[in-house]
């Protein structure tokens, strides 16, 4: 089949479309309304005599993209695979109004659905969501991609400040309380069972006091030994069980703490759509006239109704025209985009400063739209099922959704910010301060006793003890001389 007439018709149609658009005063991208490509199953002309289908689509990364004078993307490769299986040629044109398909005020359909109803196209191969309203006017094949509705956020606007005591986050408050109770109970049991049954390293009999029990339990928590060591069999059984308990506990803590430091999803204050409604820092919206907008309009869920009312009241400000505009707005402002989760996953893979919230609602699928009673609907559905069973759809999914964030894993394991471990340093400082205060208290008490016994001033004895412990011999000698003169 000669392709020249088809190409000529496409060029003429594009020129007429551009002329009408300019006369009406509409501002459109020339590429969107002028792309018309004829494809075949065999470039050498083996497709001669095969039926030719007019395919309408929409420019959206990575489904359909312009590369030079050709179209490429997930939907283009899917269309080529279907054409090879069902033996047909196809002519691809980008939808004129840049819309997916919605009912206008007069009852007419816009976008790709409207072109199919007006017989301007035979099928629509695009990320077109299967909905009940669209199913009433056109037919859909088996979905080739499964998706849902998610929330796309920018990481710096979505993340909250890390807690100063972030090192306590691996365990809940209840877990820490239970751990403290288990520690005290075990130490008390050791005190009761092991009393007078312990031998110190110097083989001197030593009472296993409750303070010794607390020290022994704390040493096990730190995977360190502590004296006095239990000798009786009953005490050793309790000690071994406590050691095993602390070993498993520390392993769980280290694993959870590592996961917390390497993942930012736990820091998202917006986990669900309810969280999105409650906050006041971010604006949110979706594509104007999209199935996502009508999902919230028709939903009976109170949270979904609140989202719809918010978008309807501010539709001129929060609704966007294209998916690319939505992604750019999320990156440039305090804006959360509600849309197809699979497209948001792509945006997060391409832009490392974006992230999708965990909750996904409204499970749905992308299907190929055809005219009602079209002879191509069932064959296309069967072909899609065959591609899924053979793994070809998974291959296309992995190919076009491949992440470009090559440094993402390294960034996750990069240097930690001070707030992540600030609580640990504070705890260390408090512990050191308490230890020094306890040492000073013990030294002061012993100095008072020594001063009373030697009939010296408490301050002089205290100074001598400090100098002796710090090995300041000159200061100690001077202190002794001063003390002797004072006594004389």
């Amino acid at each position: 089949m000669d392709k020249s007439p088809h190409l000529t018709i496409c060029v003429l149609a594009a020129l007429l479309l551009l002329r009408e658009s300019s006369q009406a005063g509409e501002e459109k991208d020339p590429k969107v309304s002028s792309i018309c490509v004829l494809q075949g199953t065999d470039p050498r002309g083996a497709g001669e005599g095969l039926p030719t289908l007019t395919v309408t689509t929409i420019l959206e990364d990575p489904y359909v993209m312009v590369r030079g004078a050709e179209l490429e993307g997930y939907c283009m490769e899917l269309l080529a695979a279907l054409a090879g299986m069902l033996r047909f040629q196809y002519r691809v044109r980008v939808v004129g109004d840049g819309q997916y398909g919605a009912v206008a005020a007069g009852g007419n359909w816009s976008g790709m659905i409207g072109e199919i109803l007006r017989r301007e196209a035979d099928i629509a191969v695009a990320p077109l969501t299967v909905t009940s309203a669209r199913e009433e006017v056109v037919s859909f094949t088996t979905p080739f991609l499964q998706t849902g509705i998610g929330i796309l956020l920018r990481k710096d606007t979505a993340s909250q400040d890390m807690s100063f005591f972030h090192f306590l986050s691996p365990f809940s408050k209840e877990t820490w309380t239970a751990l403290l109770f288990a520690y005290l109970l075990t130490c008390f049991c050791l005190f009761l069972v092991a009393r007078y049954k312990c031998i110190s390293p110097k083989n001197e009999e030593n009472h296993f006091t409750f303070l010794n029990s607390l020290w022994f339990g704390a040493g096990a928590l730190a995977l360190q030994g502590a004296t006095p060591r239990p000798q009786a069999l009953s005490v050793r059984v309790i000690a071994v069980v406590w050691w095993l308990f602390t070993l498993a506990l520390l392993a769980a803590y280290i694993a959870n703490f590592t996961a917390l430091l390497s993942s930012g999803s736990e820091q998202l204050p917006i986990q669900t759509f309810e969280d999105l409604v409650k906050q006041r820092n971010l604006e949110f919206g979706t594509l104007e006239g999209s199935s996502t907008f009508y999902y919230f309009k028709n939903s009976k869920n109170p949270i979904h109704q609140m989202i719809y009312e918010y978008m309807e009241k501010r539709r001129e400000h929060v609704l966007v025209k294209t998916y690319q505009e939505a992604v750019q707005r999320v990156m440039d402002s305090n804006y959360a985009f509600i849309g197809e989760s699979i497209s948001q996953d792509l945006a997060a893979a391409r832009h490392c400063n974006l992230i999708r919230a965990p909750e996904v609602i409204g499970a749905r699928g992308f299907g190929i739209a055809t005219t009602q009673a079209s002879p191509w609907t069932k064959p296309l559905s069967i072909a899609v099922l065959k591609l899924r069973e053979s793994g070809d759809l998974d291959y296309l999914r992995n190919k076009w959704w491949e992440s470009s964030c090559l440094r993402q894993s390294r960034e996750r394991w990069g240097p930690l910010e001070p707030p992540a471990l600030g609580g640990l340093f504070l705890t260390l400082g408090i512990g050191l301060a308490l230890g020094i205060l306890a040492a000073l208290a013990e030294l002061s008490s012993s100095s008072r006793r020594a001063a009373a016994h030697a009939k010296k001033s408490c301050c002089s004895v205290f100074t001598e003890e400090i100098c002796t412990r710090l090995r300041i011999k000159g200061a100690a000698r001077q202190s002794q001389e001063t003390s002797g003169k004072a006594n004389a």
Side-chain angles (χ1 to χ4, degrees):
M1 181 182 294
D2 188 7
K3 300 180 182 179
S4 299
H6 295 284
L7 292 175
T8 304
I9 293 174
C10 290
V11 172
L12 292 175
L15 292 175
L16 290 174
L17 198 58
L18 285 173
R19 182 180 179 183
E20 293 176 0
S21 176
S22 60
Q23 289 177 350
E26 296 178 353
E27 296 181 1
K28 295 182 181 178
D29 187 357
K31 293 191 297 183
V32 173
S33 58
S34 63
I35 295 176
C36 186
V37 182
L38 179 67
Q39 300 286 353
T41 58
D42 192 338
R44 295 173 298 179
E48 206 171 310
L50 297 179
T52 301
L53 300 180
T54 301
V55 181
T56 180
T57 188
I58 191 170
L59 294 180
E60 182 175 330
D61 187 10
Y63 303 98
V64 179
M65 299 172 291
V66 179
R67 292 294 182 268
E70 298 181 353
L71 298 176
E72 67 174 19
Y74 178 93
C75 288
M76 290 297 98
E77 292 198 18
L78 173 64
L79 183 58
L82 295 174
M85 296 175 65
L86 301 180
R87 305 294 297 169
F88 66 84
Q89 292 187 127
Y90 53 89
R91 182 186 300 107
V92 181
R93 53 174 294 173
V94 178
V95 60
D97 58 5
Q99 301 293 321
Y100 290 86
V103 183
N108 297 323
W109 281 81
S110 62
M112 292 177 283
I113 301 296
E115 290 192 353
I116 291 179
L117 293 177
R118 294 189 297 269
R119 304 289 179 172
E120 297 174 5
D122 298 310
I123 62 175
V125 182
L128 190 61
T129 305
V130 181
T131 64
S132 59
R134 292 170 178 171
E135 189 73 50
E136 290 180 357
V137 294
V138 298
S139 297
F140 280 97
T141 65
T142 301
F144 56 85
L145 268 180
Q146 298 294 334
T147 183
I149 300 176
I151 308 171
L152 184 65
L153 308 159
R154 197 171 75 246
K155 287 183 178 180
D156 57 345
T157 58
S159 60
Q160 61 185 4
D161 293 335
M162 192 172 292
S163 172
F164 195 69
F165 291 95
H166 187 62
F167 72 96
L168 298 177
S169 300
F171 292 158
S172 63
K173 295 179 180 178
E174 294 77 8
T175 304
W176 285 114
T177 304
L179 174 59
L180 179 61
F181 177 77
Y183 167 69
L184 295 176
L185 179 62
T186 303
C187 293
F188 184 70
C189 292
L190 284 172
F191 167 70
L192 291 179
V193 177
R195 200 172 185 186
Y196 308 112
K197 296 293 184 181
C198 294
I199 302 297
S200 67
K202 297 181 180 180
N203 294 327
E204 296 176 354
E205 187 173 357
N206 187 8
H207 298 294
F208 202 85
T209 63
F210 185 65
L211 290 178
N212 288 334
S213 301
L214 294 176
W215 183 247
F216 181 82
L221 279 173
L223 297 180
Q224 300 293 326
T227 58
R229 292 187 291 270
Q231 186 180 24
L233 178 61
S234 58
V235 185
R236 290 183 176 181
V237 170
I238 297 177
V240 168
V241 172
W242 176 245
W243 289 338
L244 292 176
F245 173 80
T246 56
L247 184 63
L249 189 74
L250 288 173
Y253 175 85
I254 293 173
N256 289 348
F257 191 52
T258 303
L260 273 176
L261 294 179
S262 62
S263 176
S265 61
E266 290 80 4
Q267 300 302 316
L268 283 178
I270 300 177
Q271 299 275 342
T272 64
F273 284 88
E274 184 176 358
D275 298 333
L276 183 64
V277 172
K278 291 180 179 179
Q279 59 82 36
R280 292 295 180 268
N281 297 325
L282 297 177
E283 295 179 324
F284 53 88
T286 186
L287 288 175
E288 184 177 3
S290 64
S291 60
T292 301
F293 179 81
Y294 289 101
Y295 172 86
F296 288 99
K297 180 179 180 179
N298 300 324
S299 176
K300 304 301 181 183
N301 189 305
I303 300 298
H304 299 171
Q305 279 295 309
M306 293 174 64
I307 294 176
Y308 168 72
E309 292 173 1
Y310 175 90
M311 293 189 298
E312 180 65 25
K313 291 178 181 178
R314 302 167 177 82
R315 61 180 307 136
E316 297 296 331
H317 186 60
V318 300
L319 297 184
V320 293
K321 302 294 183 181
T322 63
Y323 177 77
Q324 290 77 11
E325 178 187 350
V327 174
Q328 192 63 39
R329 187 168 177 181
V330 172
M331 292 191 296
D332 296 340
S333 62
N334 292 336
Y335 181 78
F337 174 61
I338 302 175
E340 302 291 347
S341 60
I342 192 169
S343 300
Q344 294 175 349
D345 290 338
L346 175 70
R350 300 287 175 84
H351 307 280
C352 300
N353 62 332
L354 300 182
I355 189 172
R356 180 176 62 81
E359 186 181 34
V360 176
I361 62 175
R364 54 184 62 190
F366 292 155
I368 300 174
T370 65
T371 57
Q372 288 187 334
S374 171
W376 292 99
T377 306
K378 186 173 183 179
L380 287 171
S381 294
I382 296 175
V384 168
L385 289 175
K386 289 182 178 179
L387 291 175
R388 179 180 299 168
E389 293 169 356
S390 63
D392 291 340
L393 292 183
D394 293 332
Y395 168 76
L396 291 179
R397 171 71 166 79
N398 296 331
K399 174 183 177 180
W400 291 101
W401 269 257
E402 183 180 3
S403 176
S404 61
C405 301
L406 300 178
R407 299 174 53 191
Q408 186 175 14
S409 59
R410 292 196 294 269
E411 290 174 355
R412 286 184 174 183
W413 295 96
L416 297 177
E417 297 296 330
L421 300 178
L424 280 177
F425 287 100
L426 178 62
T427 303
L428 176 61
I430 293 175
L432 294 176
L434 290 176
I436 293 175
L437 290 176
L440 292 176
E442 292 176 353
L443 186 59
S444 176
S445 178
S446 62
S447 298
R448 283 196 299 269
R449 291 195 298 268
H453 180 73
K455 296 182 180 181
K456 295 181 179 181
S457 65
C458 181
C459 292
S460 62
V461 175
F462 184 81
T463 305
E464 291 176 5
E465 290 291 336
I466 290 291
C467 293
T468 301
R469 297 197 178 195
L470 296 178
R471 300 181 184 273
I472 307 177
K473 297 181 179 180
R477 191 178 299 111
Q478 183 180 0
S479 178
Q480 291 176 357
E481 294 175 358
T482 305
S483 177
K485 293 179 180 178
N487 290 334

